[in-house]
Amino acid sequence: MEYLWWQEAVLYQIYPRSYMDSNGDGIGDLAGIISKLDYLAYTLEVDAIWLSPFYPSPMADFGYDVADYTDVDPMFGTLSDFDALVKGAHERDIKVIIDWVPNHSSSQHPWFIESRSSRDNPKRDWYVWKDPAPDGSPPNNWISVFRGPAWTFDEITGQYYLHSYLSEQPDLNWRNPETRQTMLETLRFWMRRGVDGFRLDACHKAMKDPLYRSNPVLNTPRPGYKNLGEYDSLIHIHDQGHPDIHDLFREVRSVLDEFSSTRPRFSVGEIHLEGEEWASYYGNGDELHMPYNFGLLMGDWSAAWVRSVVDTQERLLPPGAWPNFVLGNHDEVRFTTRLGEKRARLATLMLLTLRGTPTLYYGDELGMLQADIPPEEQQDPWGRRQPGLGRDGCRTPMQWNAEEHGGFTSGRPWLKTLDADGSRNVAAQLSDPDSFLNLTRHLIRLRKGSVALRRGSYQPIEGLPEAVFAYQRLHPDETRRVYLNFGAEPVRIATEGEVVAAIDRDIRVEDGELVLGGLGGAVLS
Ligand code: NOJ
Ligand code: CA
């Protein structure tokens, strides 16, 4: 079997606003990222970066409201900065993946401005416009993920338009062939500029019921992986994931394939679905290369639960499909805060030794914590609408050193920096052999140097104490075994072999026994 770069890669997500500010305006930018390429390539040794949106945008949803799909917002730099970033990354053997937001544009996108201008405008059908219900209310009961009706009435033409998120993010109509071709062309634009792949935002939302029927209502709201309030009172069968979506992803895949003769291009979808439905986005190897697996974001971190997440993915994968795991991203509470420091180290050890492509979110290599941003300082539109769901806390500036604002900016950062003057910054952790950063670096290097960890099969190890989740990674040339104690009590495991990585330096195999303290974990040869 031939392995493609993204199957063997460690991916790293950068939120450009918060990574590194090069010009003192308090907002991270592309030049800032360029200045950190050496860190990424030679300190952390990741293989690919995914950049959250840097497109021109009114920033109603911090860039996930795109006003031009083929440019860079001046706040982040220029297209030549982008070219320099790609060049610099490629010179260091780092692939570049960018966010692509197919479901919606900004309401300030010229397409939408035209579309809303009159009912017979040629771009009218590029978005979803519907007449009011007879009583003037919205056309159906769909609710925005960010709360409130998914429809906004537009006085200019007397119709409602659809927005699965903010009213500043009108949904594109992917059933219109012209919209479709124009959007697909934007993929080509970036691949011509050297981009290696795309992270597809909210892409299960792109195709809805063509009849725009109301969703069934639940009498008892059933929260999904997080409690979204009124959104959870509907069963989302009509406002997302219509079967026609698979045609769309086959088309996306073929556009990527047009460029894959020079090197394979890659797609990873943000798909908030579960089970067989989630797995269907792999298609028959002809849709997304991977739909993100968010399984590890939603449980109690008992050994049995963790194992079930891993085993479930193995069971669901269609033939030839490649697994993946994430512990966090720009929408989730920082996992070191969710799990606590020690369990977060254990989770990192697991993430980087499981079968499947791991994605790290910037700062997670330091065990960066969630910031507590008071309601009056919330910048995130979601947090302002639904207290408790704000995402600012996981988007604070990267902590580079103990200087003011963590070395992120010489100006005033757009969000406050957390604990940069303590131990959670790159400089401090580099000089501490036991730091989170050095653990992460060691594990990345271990994975890169181990054919078993990169390519080996996954086989759970049975017959261990209940609190332990353990697995083998088997490859004809090498075997690695991973033992993770998710309990608080120490465990003793009869085994041979040598510890090649562990979350504590004193973990070793002695007299045929591996002793793991509470929340201890080790990789054995
Ligand atoms: C998912 C993105 O990850 C999130 O940040 C964004 O707000 C929504 N999609 C809408 O684009
Ligand atoms: Ca800046």
Side-chain angles (χ1 to χ4, degrees):
M1 151 149 191
E2 192 199 336
Y3 290 85
L4 304 175
W5 65 263
W6 52 269
Q7 296 176 308
E8 301 201 88
V10 175
L11 310 185
Y12 183 85
Q13 179 191 358
I14 291 179
Y15 197 66
R17 259 187 110 74
S18 297
Y19 205 57
M20 182 65 201
D21 174 23
S22 70
N23 62 353
D25 66 357
I27 296 171
D29 43 53
L30 299 185
I33 297 171
I34 293 174
S35 72
K36 295 300 182 188
L37 286 174
D38 282 346
Y39 167 76
L40 294 162
Y42 309 126
T43 302
L44 206 52
E45 297 186 39
V46 294
D47 305 283
I49 50 175
W50 146 30
L51 304 174
S52 282
F54 48 76
Y55 305 103
S57 165
M59 302 288 160
D61 188 19
F62 292 110
Y64 284 96
D65 46 325
V66 178
D68 184 345
Y69 285 91
T70 54
D71 206 349
V72 173
D73 194 287
M75 179 185 288
F76 296 123
T78 60
L79 276 173
S80 2
D81 293 330
F82 182 79
D83 294 341
L85 199 169
V86 171
K87 185 161 176 282
H90 285 171
E91 281 165 3
R92 292 167 179 80
D93 222 4
I94 292 180
K95 303 278 193 292
V96 179
I97 296 160
I98 65 171
D99 228 300
W100 188 60
V101 189
N103 181 65
H104 44 269
S105 75
S106 159
S107 54
Q108 297 306 308
H109 197 297
W111 301 337
F112 187 72
I113 294 175
E114 271 196 53
S115 182
R116 93 192 303 180
S117 67
S118 76
R119 287 197 189 202
D120 53 11
N121 184 279
K123 295 232 163 37
R124 185 65 171 181
D125 188 49
W126 281 41
Y127 294 84
V128 181
W129 292 97
K130 295 284 166 221
D131 286 331
D135 65 354
S137 63
N140 66 25
N141 72 351
W142 295 359
I143 289 175
S144 144
V145 176
F146 291 161
R147 207 177 113 183
W151 299 91
T152 288
F153 185 71
D154 200 45
E155 300 284 346
I156 309 172
T157 55
Q159 283 190 312
Y160 281 90
Y161 67 88
L162 178 66
H163 51 87
S164 298
Y165 296 86
L166 299 173
S167 59
E168 291 92 334
Q169 294 168 297
D171 283 23
L172 285 157
N173 177 14
W174 276 92
R175 294 185 186 277
N176 178 305
E178 229 187 323
T179 317
R180 195 162 167 135
Q181 290 320 315
T182 308
M183 280 298 287
L184 292 174
E185 191 55 34
T186 67
L187 293 172
R188 296 191 183 93
F189 173 89
W190 292 106
M191 285 190 284
R192 283 190 205 106
R193 293 198 107 88
V195 155
D196 301 283
F198 300 91
R199 177 264 187 187
L200 278 57
D201 182 73
C203 55
H204 56 301
K205 289 263 173 202
M207 278 286 176
K208 294 101 177 160
D209 175 31
L211 302 175
Y212 295 91
R213 284 170 287 189
S214 280
N215 280 322
V217 179
L218 282 165
N219 293 328
T220 319
R222 193 173 50 214
Y225 81 109
K226 54 185 169 190
N227 187 345
L228 300 184
E230 64 174 326
Y231 186 79
D232 296 326
S233 67
L234 300 181
I235 308 179
H236 296 277
I237 55 170
H238 291 316
D239 57 350
Q240 62 182 23
H242 187 273
D244 291 347
I245 198 137
H246 297 290
D247 264 342
L248 170 58
F249 290 137
R250 277 189 285 274
E251 219 174 325
V252 166
R253 179 67 168 259
S254 71
V255 172
L256 264 60
D257 288 347
E258 288 169 23
F259 289 78
S260 294
S261 58
T262 44
R263 63 181 179 283
R265 311 293 166 126
F266 165 66
S267 56
V268 55
E270 185 206 21
I271 308 267
H272 287 287
L273 295 171
E274 282 166 58
E276 278 75 16
E277 209 185 349
W278 168 81
S280 73
Y281 286 76
Y282 284 101
N284 294 314
D286 57 356
E287 296 187 36
L288 299 175
H289 294 92
M290 308 185 322
Y292 259 132
N293 168 17
F294 296 120
L296 288 174
L297 294 172
M298 31 189 143
D300 64 5
W301 286 90
S302 64
W305 168 77
V306 175
R307 174 172 172 176
S308 78
V309 173
V310 178
D311 289 356
T312 301
Q313 179 170 227
E314 290 285 338
R315 179 173 53 78
L316 290 171
L317 284 177
W322 190 254
N324 74 89
F325 294 95
V326 292
L327 295 172
N329 61 36
H330 64 292
D331 295 326
E332 305 297 333
V333 173
R334 287 270 179 192
F335 81 92
T336 303
T337 299
R338 267 188 284 128
L339 307 187
E341 169 94 24
K342 199 149 187 213
R343 216 152 32 139
R345 288 179 180 239
L346 193 62
T348 302
L349 191 146
M350 182 178 81
L351 175 77
L352 292 168
T353 55
L354 277 172
R355 186 175 97 88
T357 302
T359 305
L360 289 167
Y361 178 50
Y362 85 92
D364 280 351
E365 72 270 34
L366 307 173
M368 249 172 83
L369 297 169
Q370 182 80 0
D372 194 8
I373 311 279
E376 63 282 5
E377 283 172 35
Q378 280 288 332
Q379 309 242 14
D380 179 18
W382 199 359
R384 291 205 300 263
R385 285 165 165 230
Q386 269 177 295
L389 289 181
R391 299 163 293 177
D392 291 346
C394 65
R395 298 174 176 179
T396 57
M398 177 68 175
Q399 297 161 194
W400 295 105
N401 55 41
E403 285 162 27
E404 203 183 3
H405 309 310
F408 162 73
T409 181
S410 58
R412 212 178 135 235
W414 76 282
L415 266 182
K416 70 175 178 190
T417 315
L418 265 192
D419 189 39
D421 50 353
S423 60
R424 276 180 221 276
N425 65 62
V426 172
Q429 292 200 9
L430 275 179
S431 58
D432 170 5
D434 294 327
S435 66
F436 210 118
L437 178 56
N438 277 323
L439 174 69
T440 310
R441 292 175 67 206
H442 180 63
L443 290 166
I444 292 176
R445 207 167 303 150
L446 186 76
R447 185 178 183 94
K448 293 177 78 155
S450 161
V451 69
L453 293 180
R454 289 193 325 272
R455 301 181 173 181
S457 63
Y458 155 84
Q459 201 173 69
I461 302 174
E462 310 290 351
L464 296 172
E466 206 185 309
V468 176
F469 171 42
Y471 45 90
Q472 309 197 62
R473 302 291 318 282
L474 300 166
H475 185 272
D477 299 332
E478 188 186 52
T479 297
R480 289 284 175 264
R481 283 167 301 142
V482 182
Y483 294 90
L484 307 163
N485 176 13
F486 284 99
E489 301 302 321
V491 290
R492 297 174 166 275
I493 297 162
T495 184
E496 298 296 328
E498 218 169 284
V499 172
V500 292
I503 77 158
D504 291 315
R505 62 164 74 196
D506 48 354
I507 294 177
R508 58 178 70 87
V509 178
E510 244 170 30
D511 304 327
E513 222 180 36
L514 170 72
V515 183
L516 294 176
L519 299 175
V523 185
L524 270 64
S525 61

